[in-house]
Short mmCIF file of all heavy atoms in Angstrom, two decimals:
data_model
loop_
_atom_site.label_atom_id
_atom_site.label_comp_id
_atom_site.label_asym_id
_atom_site.label_seq_id
_atom_site.Cartn_x
_atom_site.Cartn_y
_atom_site.Cartn_z
N ASP A 108 71.73 -24.92 173.62
CA ASP A 108 72.52 -26.09 173.95
C ASP A 108 71.66 -27.35 173.80
O ASP A 108 70.45 -27.28 173.63
CB ASP A 108 73.13 -25.98 175.34
CG ASP A 108 72.08 -25.91 176.44
OD1 ASP A 108 70.89 -25.80 176.12
OD2 ASP A 108 72.46 -25.95 177.61
N ALA A 109 72.28 -28.50 173.84
CA ALA A 109 71.58 -29.77 173.62
C ALA A 109 70.47 -29.98 174.65
O ALA A 109 69.40 -30.46 174.31
CB ALA A 109 72.58 -30.93 173.67
N SER A 110 70.70 -29.60 175.91
CA SER A 110 69.67 -29.82 176.92
C SER A 110 68.43 -28.96 176.65
O SER A 110 67.31 -29.40 176.86
CB SER A 110 70.21 -29.55 178.32
OG SER A 110 70.65 -28.21 178.43
N ALA A 111 68.62 -27.76 176.13
CA ALA A 111 67.48 -26.90 175.78
C ALA A 111 66.70 -27.52 174.62
O ALA A 111 65.47 -27.52 174.62
CB ALA A 111 67.95 -25.51 175.42
N ARG A 112 67.41 -28.06 173.64
CA ARG A 112 66.72 -28.72 172.52
C ARG A 112 65.96 -29.95 173.01
O ARG A 112 64.84 -30.20 172.58
CB ARG A 112 67.72 -29.10 171.44
CG ARG A 112 68.24 -27.90 170.67
CD ARG A 112 69.02 -28.35 169.44
NE ARG A 112 70.12 -29.26 169.73
CZ ARG A 112 71.37 -28.89 169.94
NH1 ARG A 112 71.70 -27.63 169.88
NH2 ARG A 112 72.30 -29.78 170.19
N ASP A 113 66.56 -30.73 173.92
CA ASP A 113 65.89 -31.91 174.45
C ASP A 113 64.63 -31.53 175.22
O ASP A 113 63.61 -32.20 175.09
CB ASP A 113 66.83 -32.70 175.36
CG ASP A 113 67.95 -33.38 174.57
OD1 ASP A 113 67.81 -33.50 173.33
OD2 ASP A 113 68.95 -33.77 175.19
N ARG A 114 64.70 -30.46 176.01
CA ARG A 114 63.51 -30.02 176.75
C ARG A 114 62.40 -29.62 175.78
O ARG A 114 61.24 -29.93 175.98
CB ARG A 114 63.86 -28.85 177.66
CG ARG A 114 64.57 -29.25 178.93
CD ARG A 114 64.63 -28.10 179.92
NE ARG A 114 65.29 -26.91 179.39
CZ ARG A 114 66.60 -26.69 179.40
NH1 ARG A 114 67.41 -27.61 179.90
NH2 ARG A 114 67.10 -25.57 178.92
N LYS A 115 62.78 -28.94 174.71
CA LYS A 115 61.78 -28.51 173.73
C LYS A 115 61.13 -29.73 173.08
O LYS A 115 59.93 -29.78 172.90
CB LYS A 115 62.44 -27.62 172.68
CG LYS A 115 61.46 -27.01 171.73
CD LYS A 115 62.13 -26.02 170.81
CE LYS A 115 61.11 -25.40 169.89
NZ LYS A 115 61.72 -24.41 169.03
N ARG A 116 61.93 -30.73 172.73
CA ARG A 116 61.38 -31.95 172.13
C ARG A 116 60.43 -32.66 173.09
O ARG A 116 59.39 -33.13 172.68
CB ARG A 116 62.51 -32.90 171.74
CG ARG A 116 63.19 -32.51 170.47
CD ARG A 116 64.13 -33.62 170.01
NE ARG A 116 65.08 -33.06 169.08
CZ ARG A 116 66.39 -33.06 169.25
NH1 ARG A 116 66.92 -33.60 170.31
NH2 ARG A 116 67.17 -32.52 168.35
N ARG A 117 60.80 -32.74 174.35
CA ARG A 117 59.94 -33.42 175.33
C ARG A 117 58.62 -32.69 175.48
O ARG A 117 57.58 -33.30 175.62
CB ARG A 117 60.65 -33.53 176.67
CG ARG A 117 61.66 -34.65 176.72
CD ARG A 117 62.06 -34.97 178.14
NE ARG A 117 62.71 -33.86 178.80
CZ ARG A 117 64.02 -33.62 178.82
NH1 ARG A 117 64.83 -34.44 178.21
NH2 ARG A 117 64.52 -32.58 179.45
N ARG A 118 58.65 -31.35 175.44
CA ARG A 118 57.41 -30.58 175.54
C ARG A 118 56.55 -30.79 174.30
O ARG A 118 55.34 -30.84 174.38
CB ARG A 118 57.72 -29.10 175.70
CG ARG A 118 57.98 -28.69 177.10
CD ARG A 118 57.88 -27.19 177.23
NE ARG A 118 58.66 -26.47 176.24
CZ ARG A 118 59.88 -25.98 176.43
NH1 ARG A 118 60.47 -26.12 177.58
NH2 ARG A 118 60.51 -25.34 175.47
N ALA A 119 57.16 -30.90 173.15
CA ALA A 119 56.41 -31.01 171.90
C ALA A 119 55.80 -32.39 171.73
O ALA A 119 54.77 -32.54 171.10
CB ALA A 119 57.31 -30.68 170.72
N THR A 120 56.40 -33.42 172.28
CA THR A 120 55.92 -34.79 172.07
C THR A 120 54.50 -35.00 172.53
O THR A 120 53.70 -35.53 171.77
CB THR A 120 56.88 -35.79 172.73
OG1 THR A 120 58.17 -35.60 172.16
CG2 THR A 120 56.43 -37.21 172.49
N PRO A 121 54.11 -34.60 173.74
CA PRO A 121 52.70 -34.80 174.13
C PRO A 121 51.75 -34.04 173.22
O PRO A 121 50.68 -34.55 172.89
CB PRO A 121 52.64 -34.26 175.56
CG PRO A 121 54.03 -34.34 176.07
CD PRO A 121 54.90 -34.10 174.86
N ASP A 122 52.13 -32.85 172.78
CA ASP A 122 51.28 -32.11 171.86
C ASP A 122 51.14 -32.85 170.54
O ASP A 122 50.06 -32.92 169.97
CB ASP A 122 51.84 -30.71 171.61
CG ASP A 122 51.75 -29.82 172.84
OD1 ASP A 122 50.93 -30.12 173.74
OD2 ASP A 122 52.49 -28.83 172.90
N ALA A 123 52.23 -33.39 170.05
CA ALA A 123 52.19 -34.13 168.78
C ALA A 123 51.33 -35.37 168.92
O ALA A 123 50.53 -35.68 168.03
CB ALA A 123 53.60 -34.50 168.34
N ALA A 124 51.44 -36.07 170.03
CA ALA A 124 50.62 -37.26 170.25
C ALA A 124 49.14 -36.89 170.33
O ALA A 124 48.28 -37.57 169.76
CB ALA A 124 51.05 -37.97 171.53
N PHE A 125 48.84 -35.79 171.00
CA PHE A 125 47.46 -35.33 171.08
C PHE A 125 46.94 -34.95 169.70
O PHE A 125 45.81 -35.28 169.33
CB PHE A 125 47.35 -34.13 172.03
CG PHE A 125 45.95 -33.54 172.07
CD1 PHE A 125 44.94 -34.17 172.77
CD2 PHE A 125 45.67 -32.38 171.37
CE1 PHE A 125 43.66 -33.65 172.78
CE2 PHE A 125 44.40 -31.85 171.38
CZ PHE A 125 43.38 -32.48 172.10
N ASP A 126 47.77 -34.27 168.91
CA ASP A 126 47.36 -33.88 167.56
C ASP A 126 47.03 -35.09 166.71
O ASP A 126 46.04 -35.09 165.97
CB ASP A 126 48.45 -33.05 166.88
CG ASP A 126 48.59 -31.66 167.49
OD1 ASP A 126 47.68 -31.22 168.22
OD2 ASP A 126 49.62 -31.01 167.22
N VAL A 127 47.84 -36.14 166.79
CA VAL A 127 47.56 -37.37 166.04
C VAL A 127 46.26 -37.99 166.51
O VAL A 127 45.42 -38.39 165.70
CB VAL A 127 48.74 -38.37 166.18
CG1 VAL A 127 48.37 -39.73 165.63
CG2 VAL A 127 49.98 -37.82 165.49
N TRP A 128 46.08 -38.09 167.83
CA TRP A 128 44.86 -38.66 168.38
C TRP A 128 43.63 -37.87 167.93
O TRP A 128 42.63 -38.44 167.50
CB TRP A 128 44.94 -38.68 169.92
CG TRP A 128 43.66 -39.08 170.57
CD1 TRP A 128 43.20 -40.34 170.77
CD2 TRP A 128 42.68 -38.20 171.10
NE1 TRP A 128 41.98 -40.30 171.40
CE2 TRP A 128 41.63 -38.99 171.62
CE3 TRP A 128 42.57 -36.82 171.20
CZ2 TRP A 128 40.50 -38.45 172.21
CZ3 TRP A 128 41.45 -36.28 171.79
CH2 TRP A 128 40.43 -37.09 172.29
N LEU A 129 43.72 -36.55 168.01
CA LEU A 129 42.60 -35.70 167.61
C LEU A 129 42.31 -35.85 166.13
O LEU A 129 41.15 -35.99 165.71
CB LEU A 129 42.91 -34.24 167.95
CG LEU A 129 41.82 -33.23 167.66
CD1 LEU A 129 40.58 -33.52 168.47
CD2 LEU A 129 42.32 -31.83 167.95
N HIS A 130 43.35 -35.83 165.31
CA HIS A 130 43.20 -35.96 163.86
C HIS A 130 42.49 -37.27 163.51
O HIS A 130 41.52 -37.28 162.75
CB HIS A 130 44.58 -35.89 163.21
CG HIS A 130 44.57 -35.95 161.73
ND1 HIS A 130 44.29 -34.86 160.94
CD2 HIS A 130 44.81 -36.98 160.87
CE1 HIS A 130 44.35 -35.22 159.68
NE2 HIS A 130 44.67 -36.49 159.61
N ARG A 131 42.95 -38.36 164.09
CA ARG A 131 42.33 -39.67 163.82
C ARG A 131 40.89 -39.71 164.32
O ARG A 131 40.01 -40.25 163.65
CB ARG A 131 43.14 -40.78 164.47
CG ARG A 131 44.45 -41.03 163.78
CD ARG A 131 45.23 -42.12 164.46
NE ARG A 131 46.51 -42.31 163.81
CZ ARG A 131 47.49 -43.01 164.33
NH1 ARG A 131 47.36 -43.60 165.51
NH2 ARG A 131 48.62 -43.15 163.67
N GLY A 132 40.65 -39.18 165.51
CA GLY A 132 39.31 -39.19 166.08
C GLY A 132 38.34 -38.37 165.24
O GLY A 132 37.20 -38.80 164.99
N LEU A 133 38.76 -37.20 164.80
CA LEU A 133 37.89 -36.36 163.98
C LEU A 133 37.60 -37.03 162.64
O LEU A 133 36.46 -36.98 162.16
CB LEU A 133 38.52 -34.98 163.77
CG LEU A 133 38.56 -34.09 165.02
CD1 LEU A 133 39.35 -32.82 164.73
CD2 LEU A 133 37.16 -33.76 165.51
N HIS A 134 38.62 -37.66 162.06
CA HIS A 134 38.38 -38.36 160.81
C HIS A 134 37.41 -39.52 161.01
O HIS A 134 36.51 -39.74 160.20
CB HIS A 134 39.69 -38.87 160.20
CG HIS A 134 40.38 -37.84 159.37
ND1 HIS A 134 39.98 -37.53 158.10
CD2 HIS A 134 41.43 -37.04 159.64
CE1 HIS A 134 40.75 -36.59 157.61
NE2 HIS A 134 41.65 -36.26 158.54
N ALA A 135 37.58 -40.27 162.10
CA ALA A 135 36.68 -41.39 162.36
C ALA A 135 35.24 -40.92 162.53
O ALA A 135 34.30 -41.58 162.08
CB ALA A 135 37.14 -42.15 163.61
N MET A 136 35.05 -39.78 163.15
CA MET A 136 33.70 -39.28 163.40
C MET A 136 33.07 -38.58 162.20
O MET A 136 31.88 -38.68 161.98
CB MET A 136 33.70 -38.32 164.59
CG MET A 136 33.95 -38.99 165.92
SD MET A 136 33.65 -37.92 167.34
CE MET A 136 34.90 -36.68 167.14
N PHE A 137 33.89 -37.87 161.39
CA PHE A 137 33.30 -36.97 160.41
C PHE A 137 33.62 -37.25 158.95
O PHE A 137 33.08 -36.58 158.07
CB PHE A 137 33.70 -35.52 160.74
CG PHE A 137 33.16 -35.07 162.06
CD1 PHE A 137 34.02 -34.85 163.13
CD2 PHE A 137 31.81 -34.87 162.24
CE1 PHE A 137 33.53 -34.43 164.35
CE2 PHE A 137 31.30 -34.45 163.46
CZ PHE A 137 32.16 -34.23 164.52
N ASP A 138 34.47 -38.22 158.64
CA ASP A 138 34.77 -38.50 157.23
C ASP A 138 33.51 -38.85 156.45
O ASP A 138 33.31 -38.38 155.33
CB ASP A 138 35.80 -39.62 157.10
CG ASP A 138 37.22 -39.12 157.16
OD1 ASP A 138 37.42 -37.89 157.19
OD2 ASP A 138 38.14 -39.96 157.18
N GLU A 139 32.67 -39.67 157.03
CA GLU A 139 31.45 -40.08 156.33
C GLU A 139 30.55 -38.87 156.05
O GLU A 139 30.01 -38.73 154.96
CB GLU A 139 30.69 -41.10 157.17
CG GLU A 139 29.51 -41.72 156.46
CD GLU A 139 28.85 -42.79 157.31
OE1 GLU A 139 29.57 -43.57 157.96
OE2 GLU A 139 27.61 -42.83 157.31
N VAL A 140 30.41 -38.00 157.02
CA VAL A 140 29.58 -36.81 156.85
C VAL A 140 30.20 -35.89 155.79
O VAL A 140 29.48 -35.31 154.96
CB VAL A 140 29.43 -36.05 158.19
CG1 VAL A 140 28.70 -34.75 158.01
CG2 VAL A 140 28.72 -36.93 159.21
N ALA A 141 31.50 -35.75 155.80
CA ALA A 141 32.17 -34.86 154.84
C ALA A 141 32.04 -35.36 153.41
O ALA A 141 32.15 -34.57 152.47
CB ALA A 141 33.64 -34.70 155.22
N GLN A 142 31.79 -36.65 153.23
CA GLN A 142 31.65 -37.21 151.89
C GLN A 142 30.25 -37.03 151.33
O GLN A 142 30.02 -37.24 150.14
CB GLN A 142 32.00 -38.71 151.91
CG GLN A 142 33.44 -38.99 152.29
CD GLN A 142 34.44 -38.31 151.38
OE1 GLN A 142 34.27 -38.28 150.17
NE2 GLN A 142 35.48 -37.74 151.97
N GLU A 143 29.29 -36.62 152.16
CA GLU A 143 27.91 -36.42 151.69
C GLU A 143 27.87 -35.22 150.75
O GLU A 143 28.63 -34.27 150.90
CB GLU A 143 26.98 -36.17 152.88
CG GLU A 143 26.83 -37.37 153.78
CD GLU A 143 25.93 -37.09 154.97
OE1 GLU A 143 25.37 -35.99 155.08
OE2 GLU A 143 25.81 -37.99 155.81
N PRO A 144 26.95 -35.26 149.78
CA PRO A 144 26.83 -34.11 148.87
C PRO A 144 26.29 -32.88 149.62
O PRO A 144 25.55 -33.01 150.60
CB PRO A 144 25.83 -34.58 147.81
CG PRO A 144 25.12 -35.74 148.42
CD PRO A 144 26.02 -36.34 149.45
N ILE A 145 26.68 -31.71 149.14
CA ILE A 145 26.22 -30.46 149.75
C ILE A 145 24.77 -30.23 149.30
O ILE A 145 24.47 -30.32 148.11
CB ILE A 145 27.11 -29.29 149.31
CG1 ILE A 145 28.55 -29.55 149.76
CG2 ILE A 145 26.59 -27.97 149.86
CD1 ILE A 145 29.56 -28.57 149.20
N PRO A 146 23.87 -29.96 150.24
CA PRO A 146 22.47 -29.73 149.87
C PRO A 146 22.33 -28.54 148.91
O PRO A 146 23.02 -27.52 149.05
CB PRO A 146 21.78 -29.43 151.20
CG PRO A 146 22.68 -30.00 152.24
CD PRO A 146 24.07 -29.91 151.68
N GLU A 147 21.44 -28.67 147.94
CA GLU A 147 21.23 -27.63 146.94
C GLU A 147 20.85 -26.29 147.59
O GLU A 147 21.29 -25.24 147.14
CB GLU A 147 20.14 -28.05 145.95
CG GLU A 147 20.58 -29.17 145.02
CD GLU A 147 21.75 -28.77 144.14
OE1 GLU A 147 21.78 -27.63 143.64
OE2 GLU A 147 22.65 -29.61 143.96
#
Side-chain angles (χ1 to χ4, degrees):
D108 63 353
S110 60
R112 288 191 304 266
D113 290 343
R114 282 192 302 275
K115 187 174 182 178
R116 282 190 199 120
R117 281 195 298 269
R118 275 197 310 264
T120 302
D122 291 340
F125 176 76
D126 290 345
V127 169
W128 173 82
L129 182 62
H130 183 80
R131 288 179 182 167
L133 290 173
H134 275 282
M136 290 190 295
F137 296 111
D138 273 354
E139 188 176 320
V140 174
Q142 297 302 318
E143 294 178 3
I145 300 171
E147 289 298 319

